[in-house]
Amino acid sequence: LVSTKRVLGAQPGSPEALRFAGATPYEFEAREGEVALRTRCGAFRPSDVARLVTTQALSLAGASSLSVPLLVVGVPATYDAARRELVVRAMGTLGFGDVRAVDEPILTAVAYVGRSSVRRGLVFDLGGGTFDVAVIEGNQHPFRVMAHGGDAYLGGDDVDRALAERVRHAVLRESGWDLASDPVAFDKLVHSVERAKIGLGYEDLALIEISEIDPAAPTSVTSVRVTRAMLADAVTPLLTRMMRIVEEVLDRVGA
C-alpha cells in the first residue's frame, strides 16, 4: 500500500478518492465514513496503515507506546485541521500519552536549520508520496512557516509511474500488448521500475523482464531496457512542476 496519506480522511466518491483510484490498482469501499482500500487481508483505511507503520517502527526500535511520552508526527503542510486531527486520533489509539502533528517542513527545519545561523531556510521536501516546500523563519523558536506549498501527487511514486508508462508504451509499440490492461500486472511493472530506478544510480541501464511482469505477454518481447535518459525524460515534467511551486512560495515571501 503506497501513498495512502493522499486519501487520508477522504470520503468515498470525493475528488481525492477518484484521483487516487485513477492512479492506483486498489479497489475502495466505505468504512466508517472514510475510504478504505481492499486487500486480501481485509480493508484498510489510510489511518489504519499509519498505525501499522508506527507499530512496526516501535518494534524495530525496541520500544512501546508506553515508553514514549510524546509522539511527534510529521504531516504534509497541505493537511487541513480535520486531517491532522484524524492522524492524532489514530496514533492515540496505540496508547501514546501525548500526540502532536507538526508540519513536515518544520521538523526538517528543527533537524537542519536549527543547527545553523540561517535566518531563513527553504525546505524542499520530496518524499515518496508528496512534495512540500516551505520558507522557514529560523531566527525564532518555535520556527515559523512564512509560506508553504506542495502537491500530493508529486513524489517518488509518481516518478516510478511515469517511468512505468514509458516502459508500457515501449512494449505496446513493439508488440501491441498493453501492460496496463491488467491493473495487477501494471502494479508489478511499477514496482519493477522502482528497482530499476534505484539501479540506475549505479549503472547506465537496467532490464525489465516482461515475462515476470505479465506471463500472458507475447514471447516476442522478453525485456525492456531502462536507461538514465528514459528516467530523465520521465522526471523532467515533474521537476518543472516542483520548481513552479518553489517559485510561487518564494514570491509570497518576497524572496
Side-chain angles (χ1 to χ4, degrees):
L1 296 174
V2 297
S3 294
T4 57
K5 64 181 178 180
R6 291 176 172 175
V7 286
L8 187 141
Q11 302 295 312
S14 66
E16 295 91 346
L18 293 175
R19 185 179 183 185
F20 190 78
T24 63
Y26 309 126
E27 293 183 354
F28 292 161
E29 66 179 56
R31 184 175 168 192
E32 298 179 14
E34 294 179 57
V35 67
L37 290 72
R38 292 177 183 163
T39 76
R40 287 177 292 178
C41 300
F44 293 88
R45 297 168 300 175
S47 56
D48 297 327
V49 177
R51 282 195 291 268
L52 290 171
V53 171
T54 305
T55 300
Q56 178 68 3
L58 286 170
S59 176
L60 291 172
S64 70
S65 58
L66 297 178
S67 65
V68 179
L70 170 63
L71 177 69
V72 179
V73 184
V75 297
T78 52
Y79 267 20
D80 57 17
R83 280 181 152 183
R84 291 166 185 267
E85 179 59 27
L86 187 58
V87 171
V88 170
R89 290 205 310 269
M91 295 300 101
T93 61
L94 293 176
F96 292 101
D98 190 4
V99 181
R100 300 178 192 177
V102 179
D103 288 347
E104 288 169 349
I106 291 181
L107 293 182
T108 304
V110 169
Y112 296 99
V113 178
R115 299 176 186 174
S116 69
S117 58
V118 173
R119 185 172 69 88
R120 289 182 181 177
L122 175 70
V123 179
F124 186 98
D125 181 5
L126 178 61
T130 59
F131 170 60
D132 285 306
V133 61
V135 174
I136 305 292
E137 190 170 44
N139 59 355
Q140 67 176 31
H141 294 273
F143 294 112
R144 183 173 71 91
V145 177
M146 302 179 68
H148 71 80
D151 190 327
Y153 283 81
L154 273 177
D157 294 338
D158 301 286
V159 173
D160 299 338
R161 186 173 179 84
L163 189 55
E165 284 289 350
R166 280 155 178 76
V167 174
R168 170 204 169 196
H169 285 295
V171 173
L172 191 61
R173 285 195 304 270
E174 186 172 342
S175 67
W177 188 263
D178 190 355
L179 291 171
S181 61
D182 180 356
V184 174
F186 188 73
D187 192 48
K188 288 182 180 178
L189 175 62
V190 172
H191 286 284
S192 295
V193 160
E194 181 192 16
R195 292 193 294 270
K197 177 190 69 177
I198 294 170
L200 291 175
Y202 308 93
E203 305 290 342
D204 292 331
L205 63 88
L207 292 179
I208 301 291
E209 299 295 337
I210 300 304
S211 61
E212 296 178 3
I213 304 299
D214 188 354
T219 56
S220 59
V221 183
T222 58
S223 62
V224 174
R225 291 158 53 99
V226 179
T227 64
R228 289 178 175 176
M230 287 177 64
L231 176 59
D233 182 58
V235 79
T236 295
L238 300 176
L239 289 173
T240 300
R241 286 168 55 191
M242 293 174 202
M243 294 313 300
R244 189 178 301 121
I245 294 172
V246 170
E247 291 170 356
E248 291 171 355
V249 171
L250 289 173
D251 285 343
R252 288 203 293 273
V253 294

